[in-house]
Amino acid sequence: MTDLLLIPGPIMVSPAVQEAASIQSLAHTSPEFVKIFQEVLQNLRTVFQTTDAGDQSIVISGSGTLGWDIVGNNLLKSGDSVLTVSTGFFSDSFAQCLESYDAQVDVLKSEPGKVVALDKIESQLKSKKYQLITLTQVDTSTATLLDIGSIAALVKKVSPETFVIVDGVCSIGVEEFKFSEWSIDYVLTASQKALSSPSGLSVSLISERALKYALANGSTRGFFANLKKWTPIMKAYEAGAGQYFATPSIQLVNALNVSLREILSYGLAARIAKNKQTSDTFKSNLQQLGLTLVSDDANSAHGLTAVYVENPGHVISSLKSKGIVIAGGILPEIKDKYIRIGHMGISAIEDDLHHIDNVFEAIENSI
Amino acid sequence: MTDLLLIPGPIMVSPAVQEAASIQSLAHTSPEFVKIFQEVLQNLRTVFQTTDAGDQSIVISGSGTLGWDIVGNNLLKSGDSVLTVSTGFFSDSFAQCLESYDAQVDVLKSEPGKVVALDKIESQLKSKKYQLITLTQVDTSTATLLDIGSIAALVKKVSPETFVIVDGVCSIGVEEFKFSEWSIDYVLTASQKALSSPSGLSVSLISERALKYALANGSTRGFFANLKKWTPIMKAYEAGAGQYFATPSIQLVNALNVSLREILSYGLAARIAKNKQTSDTFKSNLQQLGLTLVSDDANSAHGLTAVYVENPGHVISSLKSKGIVIAGGILPEIKDKYIRIGHMGISAIEDDLHHIDNVFEAIENSI
């Protein structure tokens, strides 16, 4: 029997999504596949909440990490300054990736589970010209949720030319996210988190102004992370015409199409609300056991929970022996002091599956 | 009903491979997934025919194109000289990708369907110091097969420090290929060709000496095409331990595991021989219709056929109306004069499916 998988991604996918991953191969420029890819690119606009036709959704075989390279390779030049607001391991890794592109990265880092105060971000933004700011909406290492809307509004006020870049890997599909309303320039995620699909796809959206910059000023180095190569391809597929650069993953794009349909047919707002309810109840139940969350109540993500326990190794192996898979800590400072439980997709939405009841009961019994 | 897909990739996959792509998600560092990934990395050694434990197989979410970037980002420095032996569109694109990494690329190009004479390659190799030579074993644009063994032996004789790089996208799994015996330094392919799996994975093997160079001298720029990031991950998985850098595609790696098992259980040599037989018969039947192949008989690939026809558009649409999908020409010089038919994987191996009989009959009726 398959384990109950409750890590913060990859997550368990619905039977229809599983089946969609097993279609026979199609020609990558066939009308049948073009229609599928077109629907994916169009539906992503709704999921990311863009209203601007000049923005472009992008789906490439890869992982969340590839989105960092797309930023480094297309949206900055050697020597440019970058401001990273860090709430954990993944925020820091994104900064390191951009440093590898010769960016000068300043990191404003909060204590585990806390967020950086807006006034600190404001004074830092005023201190020099930043090409871009990186915000990790949910840092999967600490389950900390950033208030992207407020930070983006601040950037727009004090440094409007700075590109606002959001790592939405553990947030898109589970947290409120408004690309156009918040004036975001690039958001990246991956297929295996709240988009509720198999892993293997880098999924992102770029604003018209950032895309214009990328096409005019982005690096010409390399093919696979180069938006000069991908932009005509994505525009062609979305317009209903196949075009070749590198073969997309037929099966994974088809699976993503089915999962996006499921998300939109449930209703994006309803899904986000249901995720919040599942998360709030789960977190409150853990707190009633006397446990402490890693993230402040005010800044807690809704797609996963990070919670301190006395003996994480014991809890994890005890759950595994019952067929439930959760994750350990990953933030170096507190690595061996907490566990992480993912609750996205069907596990958060379908109460009848009892995934969250089961993992709660198993944790209760193991501590 | 699904079309009969006979383009030179993606190719139709077996029912077991289809099913393998639909497994429920597993944790990327779980013992269950580590075992699957380990088997894939080990079996690739057999498929690529390496006997040197210091070589390393690499599987990353991506496409064949990503392998070109891995060469550009890891195996050369800005200003290095590269020699490309070109038999068509894909050889030229590989050269352009390396030029984007500031390599000085010399291209020795043959007429469509012909190959460059060994003595020309020899005198070019003697004219300056080349960091690497790129050889496209089968250029999918022309179905031309290069004699990699002879060229690699020549490089070893006259310029032994030059890395021998093989684009094996349309050859690995269908043409004879001997990594260790031929002293190859890097070979790249993709999952959706003769490896007979869904598209979405970049699959490659690097020699110990090239890997040593990459780790010491490769660019530090970027994460996703950086072997400094991937090498410890691949070594860990192959040794049976999960390690995290970027989430691999659980479903596609599982599908590749099943397809590699099928290839090895049939027997690699037997499979290559059967592919050759299918290809030889198909090509000879087309020639008996009075048609001319794009590739010389002596240099013809066995995983696809490129053949001149009077009205390619008519032939392609006539076949499509019967539910058979083939591909058009792609080499600019002769683009509108020929068609391409893929015959890899089950279509070449399983006579009972009658894929090749059916496409031949449809072509015969359409001309």
Side-chain angles (χ1 to χ4, degrees):
Chain A
M1 219 198 85
T2 314
D3 283 338
L4 177 57
L5 181 66
L6 292 171
I7 63 172
I11 68 164
M12 295 182 84
V13 302
S14 74
V17 172
Q18 275 185 261
E19 203 189 319
S22 73
I23 58 161
Q24 182 53 277
S25 299
L26 297 167
H28 43 302
T29 53
S30 65
E32 295 80 5
F33 180 68
V34 169
K35 204 160 161 288
I36 294 165
F37 205 171
Q38 178 181 38
E39 189 177 338
V40 164
L41 293 167
Q42 289 172 342
N43 279 341
L44 282 172
R45 293 179 182 271
T46 310
V47 169
F48 285 124
Q49 302 226 36
T50 173
T51 51
D52 185 342
D55 300 346
Q56 185 58 51
S57 43
I58 301 163
V59 176
I60 309 178
S61 290
S63 70
T65 306
L66 181 60
W68 298 347
D69 279 292
I70 289 174
V71 175
N73 206 43
N74 297 279
L75 295 177
L76 55 80
K77 290 195 224 82
S78 178
D80 277 353
S81 290
V82 166
L83 180 58
T84 290
V85 177
S86 171
T87 45
F89 174 82
F90 289 94
S91 317
D92 291 343
S93 298
F94 192 176
Q96 284 155 19
C97 182
L98 299 184
E99 273 172 350
S100 84
Y101 286 90
D102 295 325
Q104 303 296 316
V105 186
D106 296 325
V107 180
L108 284 177
K109 189 162 184 176
S110 53
E111 291 297 301
K114 315 234 176 268
V115 294
V116 179
L118 275 178
D119 58 354
K120 272 200 181 168
I121 300 174
E122 180 164 1
S123 58
Q124 193 66 40
L125 278 172
K126 286 174 172 168
S127 72
K128 62 168 108 162
K129 186 190 172 320
Y130 284 104
Q131 167 70 7
L132 55 91
I133 182 170
T134 71
L135 309 170
T136 301
Q137 186 168 18
V138 169
D139 198 302
T140 318
S141 69
T142 57
T144 304
L145 174 68
L146 270 191
D147 179 356
I148 302 291
S150 298
I151 303 175
L154 174 68
V155 179
K156 205 176 176 182
K157 192 184 72 178
V158 304
S159 184
E161 284 174 19
T162 298
F163 289 142
V164 179
I165 311 293
V166 178
D167 179 333
V169 166
C170 211
S171 71
I172 298 301
V174 53
E175 308 289 354
E176 190 172 75
F177 182 83
K178 299 177 172 181
F179 191 88
S180 294
E181 194 179 317
W182 296 346
S183 298
I184 307 301
D185 287 294
Y186 184 67
V187 56
L188 63 102
T189 185
S191 49
Q192 79 278 11
K193 305 277 183 171
L195 294 185
S196 306
S197 233
S199 48
L201 295 177
S202 156
V203 178
S204 61
L205 181 77
I206 190 164
S207 72
E208 187 170 8
R209 76 164 184 164
L211 185 55
K212 202 173 279 184
Y213 175 92
L215 297 180
N217 305 303
S219 168
T220 54
R221 194 167 186 262
F223 274 20
F224 205 72
N226 197 326
L227 291 182
K228 292 187 178 74
K229 294 288 176 188
W230 286 113
T231 303
I233 306 302
M234 297 301 147
K235 289 198 183 291
Y237 274 102
E238 193 169 354
Q243 194 168 320
Y244 176 70
F245 163 56
T247 308
S249 179
I250 308 300
Q251 282 77 5
L252 294 189
V253 170
N254 190 55
L256 181 60
N257 193 31
V258 171
S259 66
L260 293 177
R261 278 182 188 172
E262 285 182 352
I263 289 169
L264 296 179
S265 110
Y266 191 101
L268 187 62
R271 199 162 166 115
I272 289 169
K274 176 65 185 164
N275 264 291
K276 186 177 181 321
Q277 186 200 327
T278 299
S279 175
D280 288 351
T281 306
F282 181 60
K283 285 179 170 65
S284 147
N285 287 342
L286 289 170
Q287 287 171 317
Q288 276 170 36
L289 292 181
L291 299 177
T292 305
L293 303 180
V294 173
S295 54
D296 278 2
D297 278 348
N299 315 309
S300 279
H302 302 98
L304 83 158
T305 296
V307 60
Y308 291 105
V309 292
E310 208 143 299
N311 190 339
H314 167 73
V315 175
I316 292 167
S317 62
S318 159
L319 266 62
K320 172 73 184 173
S321 74
K322 290 170 184 157
I324 304 177
V325 180
I326 62 169
I330 191 174
L331 189 75
E333 301 93 297
I334 53 172
K335 198 176 180 318
D336 299 321
K337 296 183 176 167
Y338 70 110
I339 56 175
R340 296 178 302 147
I341 305 98
H343 34 78
M344 291 172 263
I346 54 172
S347 298
I349 300 298
E350 296 183 24
D351 294 334
D352 293 352
L353 294 173
H354 298 292
H355 287 183
I356 307 306
D357 297 343
N358 291 344
V359 72
F360 176 75
E361 196 186 309
I363 292 172
E364 185 176 23
N365 290 333
S366 77
I367 58 173
Chain B
M1 221 200 84
T2 314
D3 282 339
L4 176 58
L5 181 65
L6 292 172
I7 63 172
I11 67 164
M12 295 183 85
V13 303
S14 74
V17 171
Q18 276 187 260
E19 203 189 320
S22 73
I23 57 161
Q24 182 53 279
S25 298
L26 297 168
H28 42 304
T29 53
S30 66
E32 294 80 4
F33 180 67
V34 170
K35 204 160 162 287
I36 294 165
F37 206 170
Q38 177 181 38
E39 189 176 339
V40 164
L41 293 167
Q42 288 172 343
N43 279 341
L44 282 172
R45 292 180 183 271
T46 309
V47 169
F48 285 123
Q49 303 227 37
T50 172
T51 51
D52 185 342
D55 299 346
Q56 185 57 52
S57 43
I58 301 164
V59 176
I60 308 178
S61 290
S63 70
T65 306
L66 180 60
W68 296 348
D69 278 291
I70 289 174
V71 175
N73 206 43
N74 297 278
L75 295 178
L76 55 81
K77 290 197 223 82
S78 179
D80 277 353
S81 291
V82 166
L83 180 58
T84 291
V85 177
S86 172
T87 44
F89 175 82
F90 290 95
S91 317
D92 290 343
S93 298
F94 192 177
Q96 285 156 19
C97 183
L98 299 184
E99 273 172 350
S100 85
Y101 287 89
D102 295 326
Q104 302 298 317
V105 186
D106 297 325
V107 180
L108 284 178
K109 189 162 183 175
S110 53
E111 291 297 302
K114 315 236 176 265
V115 295
V116 179
L118 276 178
D119 58 354
K120 274 198 180 169
I121 300 174
E122 179 164 0
S123 59
Q124 192 66 40
L125 278 171
K126 285 174 171 168
S127 71
K128 61 168 111 165
K129 186 190 171 320
Y130 285 103
Q131 168 69 6
L132 55 90
I133 182 170
T134 71
L135 309 172
T136 301
Q137 188 169 16
V138 169
D139 198 301
T140 319
S141 69
T142 57
T144 304
L145 174 68
L146 270 191
D147 179 356
I148 303 291
S150 298
I151 303 175
L154 174 67
V155 178
K156 205 175 176 182
K157 191 184 72 178
V158 304
S159 183
E161 285 174 18
T162 299
F163 289 142
V164 179
I165 312 293
V166 178
D167 179 332
V169 165
C170 211
S171 71
I172 299 301
V174 53
E175 307 290 354
E176 188 172 76
F177 183 81
K178 300 179 172 180
F179 192 87
S180 294
E181 193 179 317
W182 295 347
S183 298
I184 308 301
D185 286 293
Y186 184 68
V187 57
L188 63 101
T189 186
S191 47
Q192 80 278 11
K193 304 278 183 171
L195 294 184
S196 307
S197 232
S199 47
L201 296 176
S202 155
V203 178
S204 61
L205 182 77
I206 190 165
S207 73
E208 186 170 11
R209 76 164 184 164
L211 185 54
K212 202 174 278 184
Y213 175 92
L215 298 179
N217 305 304
S219 167
T220 54
R221 196 167 186 261
F223 273 22
F224 204 71
N226 197 327
L227 290 182
K228 292 188 178 74
K229 294 288 176 188
W230 287 113
T231 302
I233 306 301
M234 296 300 146
K235 288 198 181 293
Y237 273 102
E238 193 168 354
Q243 193 169 319
Y244 177 69
F245 163 56
T247 309
S249 180
I250 307 301
Q251 282 78 3
L252 293 190
V253 171
N254 190 56
L256 181 59
N257 193 31
V258 171
S259 66
L260 293 178
R261 277 182 189 173
E262 286 182 352
I263 290 169
L264 296 180
S265 111
Y266 191 102
L268 186 63
R271 201 164 166 113
I272 289 168
K274 175 66 185 163
N275 265 291
K276 186 175 182 320
Q277 185 201 328
T278 299
S279 175
D280 288 350
T281 305
F282 181 60
K283 286 178 171 65
S284 146
N285 288 342
L286 289 170
Q287 287 171 317
Q288 277 171 34
L289 293 181
L291 299 176
T292 305
L293 302 180
V294 174
S295 54
D296 278 1
D297 278 348
N299 316 309
S300 279
H302 302 99
L304 83 158
T305 296
V307 60
Y308 292 106
V309 293
E310 206 142 300
N311 190 338
H314 167 73
V315 174
I316 291 166
S317 62
S318 159
L319 266 61
K320 172 73 184 171
S321 74
K322 291 171 185 155
I324 303 177
V325 180
I326 62 169
I330 191 174
L331 189 75
E333 300 93 297
I334 53 171
K335 199 176 180 313
D336 300 321
K337 297 183 178 168
Y338 70 110
I339 55 175
R340 295 177 302 146
I341 305 99
H343 34 78
M344 291 172 262
I346 55 172
S347 298
I349 300 299
E350 297 182 25
D351 294 334
D352 293 352
L353 295 173
H354 298 293
H355 288 181
I356 307 305
D357 297 342
N358 291 342
V359 73
F360 176 77
E361 196 184 308
I363 292 172
E364 185 176 21
N365 290 332
S366 77
I367 58 174

